[in-house]
């Protein structure tokens, strides 16, 4: 039986799709059969981040509406074994997603996969609720910035009231905090919320910290999940995050400012 | 403290300010007040205005709660009248 994980945030532009792509890639690299699904109907982007935009023939909506079967719509990643992508539709509107159709598709996938990663759209409307509804666990992606933290809190409220687990009174969705675009040097200067600040405010366990990095933009330019970038802090941070998710104990990295020559001289 | 600390700014970072503001808004949401319908504050003011045509009441005389059970929503109104003098 597959585990369903939603990658969500409320606010847009915080790194949901980047995180979903790298998280799914990392899970697959560790030998887990994984599919990542784009729930952002009308504004699809996961295919671009995963570099398979030219291979999309059928999408998630086609499957839900019976116009294609799953085998036709799933795109197998060419770089990582065990990794599949299900793109969102670009032409339909978000009302094309219906709970019952989503459930049918997820149940079918669950027979065959270890992990189903749902990349949520921004906002708190239908699409976001669909993406989280069937989740067992949630990655709440947050930037160290006031509007993102507040929106994450709002999403935590939805996870505990609008999901299937909440409605059926089952064990709650397991929540994980993922802090992205973390600039340790600015935190050191007191200009940016620190990990412990965010933790104090949101009160959910931290799964990973992804440092602010030029690699993320470069990787997206070429359709490469950051987790596949061997020489980048952000890539390593994503792989660490996956390892922690799978139960390994790995200390957080990239959380201290790099010390420059002047800092050393001044004994900072 | 190193001798070069004199050159460092003593100003408290803006992050502390951000944290304090966020703790307030998050506490507010988690207390459930964010779950109220948007018309709630106005309805409360209107009810107070009607009441005041007949009795003198304070600003906190009208307490309102929404209770949700499944598809059912119950609006609970609690109006406290001042002690009447016979």
């Amino acid at each position: 039986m597959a585990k369903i994980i939603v990658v969500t945030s409320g606010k847009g532009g915080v790194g949901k799709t980047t995180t979903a792509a790298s998280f799914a890639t990392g899970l697959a690299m560790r030998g887990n059969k994984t599919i990542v699904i784009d729930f952002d109907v009308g504004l699809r982007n996961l295919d671009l981040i995963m570099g398979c935009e030219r291979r999309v023939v059928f999408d998630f909506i086609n499957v839900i509406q019976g116009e294609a079967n799953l085998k036709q719509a799933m795109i197998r990643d060419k770089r990582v074994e065990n990794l599949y992508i299900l793109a969102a539709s670009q032409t339909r509107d978000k009302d094309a997603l219906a709970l019952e159709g989503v459930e049918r598709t997820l149940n079918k996938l669950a027979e065959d996969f270890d992990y189903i990663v749902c990349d949520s759209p921004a906002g708190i409307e239908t699409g976001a609720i669909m993406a989280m509804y069937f989740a067992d666990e949630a990655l709440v992606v947050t930037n160290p910035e006031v509007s993102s933290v507040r929106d994450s809190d709002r999403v935590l409220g939805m996870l505990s009231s609008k999901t299937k687990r909440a409605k059926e009174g089952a064990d709650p969705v397991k929540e994980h905090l993922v802090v992205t675009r973390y600039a340790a040097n600015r935190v050191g200067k007191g200009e940016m919320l620190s990990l412990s600040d965010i933790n104090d405010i949101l009160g959910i366990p931290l799964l990973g910290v992804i440092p602010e990095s030029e690699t993320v933009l470069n990787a997206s330019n070429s359709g490469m999940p950051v987790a596949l970038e061997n020489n980048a802090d952000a890539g390593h941070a994503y792989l660490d995050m996956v390892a922690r998710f799978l139960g390994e104990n790995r200390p957080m990295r990239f959380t201290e400012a790099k010390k420059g020559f002047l800092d050393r001289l001044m004994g900072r | 403290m190193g001798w070069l600390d004199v050159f460092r700014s003593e100003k408290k970072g803006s992050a502390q300010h951000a944290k304090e503001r966020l703790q307030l808004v998050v506490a507010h949401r988690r207390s459930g007040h964010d779950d109220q319908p948007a018309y709630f504050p106005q309805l409360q003011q209107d009810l107070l205005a009607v009441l005041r045509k007949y009795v003198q009441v304070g600003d906190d005389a009208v307490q309102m709660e929404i209770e949700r059970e499944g598809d059912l929503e119950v609006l609970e109104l609690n109006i406290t009248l001042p002690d009447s003098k016979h």
Side-chain angles (χ1 to χ4, degrees):
Chain A
M1 193 63 189
K3 196 171 262 182
I4 303 178
I5 303 126
V6 61
V7 181
T8 185
S9 71
K11 190 174 182 301
V14 297
K16 270 187 302 299
T17 301
T18 300
T19 298
S22 279
F23 181 61
T25 302
L27 287 171
M29 285 165 78
R30 310 270 304 232
N32 301 290
K33 195 169 179 191
T34 305
I35 184 161
V36 53
I37 307 178
D38 191 349
F39 273 76
D40 203 349
V41 176
L43 288 173
R44 86 174 193 218
N45 276 320
L46 179 68
D47 54 338
L48 269 179
I49 299 297
M50 294 294 295
C52 64
E53 69 278 6
R54 295 175 58 168
R55 297 168 62 208
V56 179
V57 181
F58 294 112
D59 57 52
F60 191 24
I61 301 297
N62 291 136
V63 174
I64 286 177
Q65 304 199 334
E67 296 152 352
N69 62 38
L70 265 173
K71 271 217 172 69
Q72 293 171 298
M74 286 189 316
I75 301 167
R76 201 171 67 85
D77 191 88
K78 286 184 171 169
R79 298 155 299 208
V80 181
E81 215 181 323
N82 296 317
L83 179 59
Y84 293 78
I85 299 118
L86 192 50
S89 167
Q90 208 170 15
T91 49
R92 312 292 181 83
D93 61 61
K94 58 184 188 308
D95 300 328
L97 278 177
L99 219 46
E100 170 242 352
V102 173
E103 182 170 34
R104 199 170 355 100
T105 311
L106 293 180
N107 283 343
K108 188 106 180 102
L109 289 169
E111 293 168 8
D112 202 32
F113 281 88
D114 299 313
Y115 292 101
I116 302 173
V117 179
C118 304
D119 181 21
S120 173
I124 53 170
E125 326 267 303
T126 326
I129 292 174
M130 294 285 169
M132 69 168 61
Y133 193 82
F134 298 101
D136 301 305
E137 307 199 19
L139 305 190
V140 179
V141 182
T142 308
N143 288 171
E145 175 269 321
V146 286
S147 51
S148 174
V149 175
R150 185 195 218 174
D151 290 0
S152 291
D153 172 62
R154 187 86 166 77
V155 158
L156 289 174
M158 290 168 63
L159 286 167
S160 59
S161 63
K162 307 250 186 232
T163 52
K164 183 166 183 254
R165 282 175 172 273
K167 300 217 167 183
E168 291 179 353
D171 289 342
V173 176
K174 192 171 173 193
E175 301 154 339
H176 306 273
L177 178 64
V178 178
V179 177
T180 52
R181 308 199 66 165
Y182 194 70
N185 58 333
R186 300 201 71 185
V187 173
K189 289 186 209 157
E191 295 173 356
M192 183 182 265
L193 290 165
S194 70
L195 292 172
S196 73
D197 290 340
I198 300 173
N199 217 273
D200 286 352
I201 297 162
L202 293 178
I204 59 169
L206 179 69
L207 183 67
V209 186
I210 314 302
E212 171 84 68
S213 160
E214 288 171 12
T215 317
V216 175
L217 178 62
N218 287 334
S220 73
N221 286 342
S222 46
M224 177 92 129
V226 186
L228 291 177
E229 296 283 356
N230 292 322
N231 298 316
D233 285 2
H236 296 157
Y238 273 120
L239 294 181
D240 280 359
M241 182 185 97
V242 170
R244 281 183 215 112
F245 184 84
L246 295 173
E248 268 178 49
N249 187 6
R250 290 211 187 170
M252 295 289 164
R253 292 195 275 172
F254 319 113
T255 56
E256 302 288 333
K258 286 191 183 116
K259 285 194 171 185
F261 172 72
L262 256 180
D263 291 318
R264 288 175 207 278
L265 188 75
M266 291 166 75
R268 287 200 259 215
Chain B
M1 194 166 103
W3 64 274
L4 275 167
D5 283 349
V6 240
F7 295 113
R8 287 192 204 147
S9 141
E10 285 297 311
K11 190 176 68 185
K12 196 169 76 173
S14 56
Q16 188 56 35
H17 196 200
K19 182 181 182 181
E20 288 159 9
R21 292 170 63 215
L22 279 167
Q23 279 174 324
L24 275 178
V25 294
V26 167
H28 180 74
R29 188 198 65 78
R30 293 189 178 182
S31 67
H33 290 297
D34 259 20
D35 217 21
Q36 295 174 349
Y39 60 78
F40 244 59
Q42 189 58 52
L43 175 60
Q44 196 163 18
Q45 287 310 308
D46 289 354
L47 286 171
L48 271 175
V50 172
L51 271 175
R52 281 175 182 156
K53 283 188 184 171
Y54 306 94
V55 278
Q56 278 302 316
V57 290
D59 283 344
D60 55 354
V62 178
Q63 300 292 330
M64 307 180 6
E65 298 274 353
I66 281 260
E67 297 263 326
R68 291 191 179 84
E69 277 175 39
D71 290 342
L72 198 68
E73 284 194 352
V74 178
L75 171 62
E76 193 180 301
L77 264 185
N78 196 349
I79 300 175
T80 318
L81 291 176
D83 291 335
S84 53
K85 295 174 195 112
H86 295 287

